[in-house]
Amino acid sequence: MKLVRFNDGRIGVTDGQRVVDVTTLTGVDATAWPPVGMNQVIQNFAKFATAFQQALNTQLGLPIADVHLQTPIPWPNKLLAYPVNYHDHATEMASRGLANIQGFFLKANSSLSGASEPIELPALPGREIHHECEIALIIGKTGRQIPVEKALDHLFGYACLLDMTIRGKEERVMRKSYDSFTPVGPWIVTADEVPDPRNIDMKLWVNGELKQEANTRDLIVDIAHMISIASSAATLYPGDIIASGTPAGVGPVHAGDLVSIEVAHIGRMDIPVIQGNRGANIVFEKPYEFVRAS
Ligand code: MN
């Protein structure tokens, strides 16, 4: 099943063409702050699944092109991310900070944005802002110290994820935490729709030119191990998001670009890039030259 958050915090189910509003079925107050409705839906999904499917089967809904797709989970307990998680990306970055050596880092939850929202480049002349093509793992069940063989029981679903990054030597958390630096969507696909987590293709294009292409079989730390390792340190909660780490081919984006990401069995997002006038500070005053190692 595919779950969306749309317009002003409405919860919907979609077949990829139509969106059927199921907000009233869930009891979620779409206007509540903080916006944790989707976290509650994920926590109680077993209770809702049949009614959601029935709503999709029997109601016309809205054409998906006519709705504003928001980020599915705007208020996770945490947004975890793995660093370099493919050997080819490690080579291009000349990086030894592999996912199995460094573990996860965090991004600000407020960097999350949705499929209908642009990436806003901060006003940082002298800095490259790169696309990183990743998969979002959405946690469905609370757990701590989850063994690898049980890890997929805690996986609710997947989404496409862009981990936008200012290149430089400054604190990684800040370089990756600007507003709109984590587009997630276009929806959450429940885990049962992905036949094999060890065989998921993903691709990223800029203006139609293929830049990144990978399959989860080439991950250094695979999906089950990502969940297990994260949970050894931090209790995972329904709605938590784990970014998988990116393969080779990262590169700069500019105002006017269109970044497209497609993940097999999951979906596709086409995200425009716009130039903002905010974001400058003393930290990023000095220019930084990104040099690809290979
Ligand atoms: Mn990344």
Side-chain angles (χ1 to χ4, degrees):
M1 200 177 299
K2 297 179 177 70
L3 302 179
V4 292
R5 195 168 145 270
F6 69 104
N7 295 351
D8 295 307
R10 310 297 297 177
I11 306 284
V13 287
T14 181
D15 55 8
Q17 309 294 318
R18 303 172 296 121
V19 173
V20 172
D21 192 327
V22 292
T23 311
T24 48
L25 281 176
T26 65
V28 163
D29 176 359
T31 65
W33 191 91
V36 292
M38 190 65 92
N39 310 50
Q40 294 163 348
V41 168
I42 291 170
Q43 158 78 5
N44 297 303
F45 185 70
K47 212 166 75 185
F48 298 130
T50 306
F52 283 2
Q53 189 61 52
Q54 201 174 15
L56 186 62
N57 294 346
T58 58
Q59 292 178 43
L60 193 54
L62 297 161
I64 196 154
D66 292 352
V67 307
H68 181 82
L69 291 172
Q70 298 180 294
T71 203
I73 307 160
W75 210 270
N77 180 262
K78 52 202 165 293
L79 170 55
L80 308 175
Y82 280 89
V84 179
N85 202 2
Y86 290 85
H87 288 293
D88 58 355
H89 180 52
T91 305
E92 75 176 345
M93 302 299 285
S95 174
R96 284 191 222 137
L98 306 181
N100 60 332
I101 294 166
Q102 286 225 326
F104 65 78
F105 61 93
L106 290 159
K107 297 189 76 170
N109 294 345
S110 47
S111 70
L112 290 162
S113 58
S116 299
E117 292 157 352
I119 294 163
E120 181 186 320
L121 299 179
L124 298 175
R127 291 303 177 117
E128 289 189 8
I129 295 162
H130 282 202
H131 57 78
E132 296 191 354
C133 173
E134 309 199 9
I135 299 175
L137 311 176
I138 313 294
I139 297 300
K141 199 169 96 179
T142 300
R144 174 86 203 276
Q145 199 79 51
I146 302 165
V148 174
E149 58 275 15
K150 300 252 184 207
L152 296 179
D153 299 346
H154 291 258
L155 179 64
F156 177 76
Y158 306 86
C160 305
L161 183 147
L162 297 173
D163 176 18
M164 303 306 296
T165 304
I166 299 166
R167 291 295 170 214
K169 297 284 186 201
E170 298 79 10
E171 173 56 58
R172 173 164 52 193
V173 170
M174 186 171 182
R175 290 189 290 106
K176 290 172 173 279
S177 283
Y178 273 72
D179 282 7
S180 81
F181 268 26
T182 317
V184 171
W187 40 64
I188 301 168
V189 174
T190 51
D192 58 294
E193 293 200 9
V194 175
D196 181 3
R198 287 184 207 79
N199 182 15
I200 306 173
D201 277 316
M202 63 177 184
K203 288 181 184 170
L204 180 142
W205 301 260
V206 177
N207 303 325
E209 188 184 330
L210 185 64
K211 298 287 189 185
Q212 296 188 269
E213 184 173 16
N215 184 289
T216 53
R217 79 171 77 87
D218 298 320
L219 283 164
I220 296 168
V221 176
D222 71 14
I223 288 174
H225 281 84
M226 278 190 255
I227 294 169
S228 178
I229 291 167
S231 78
S232 69
T235 301
L236 299 183
Y237 295 102
D240 279 0
I241 301 171
I242 300 177
S244 65
T246 196
V250 300
V253 298
H254 305 98
D257 285 348
L258 185 70
V259 181
S260 304
I261 176 174
E262 190 170 305
V263 183
H265 313 291
I266 296 169
R268 176 187 175 104
M269 302 195 291
D270 298 286
I271 309 280
V273 179
I274 61 170
Q275 181 62 56
N277 55 17
R278 298 173 291 188
N281 53 56
I282 55 169
V283 177
F284 295 123
E285 262 173 9
K286 266 179 43 193
Y288 174 87
E289 193 184 353
F290 173 77
V291 182
R292 197 179 301 274
S294 69

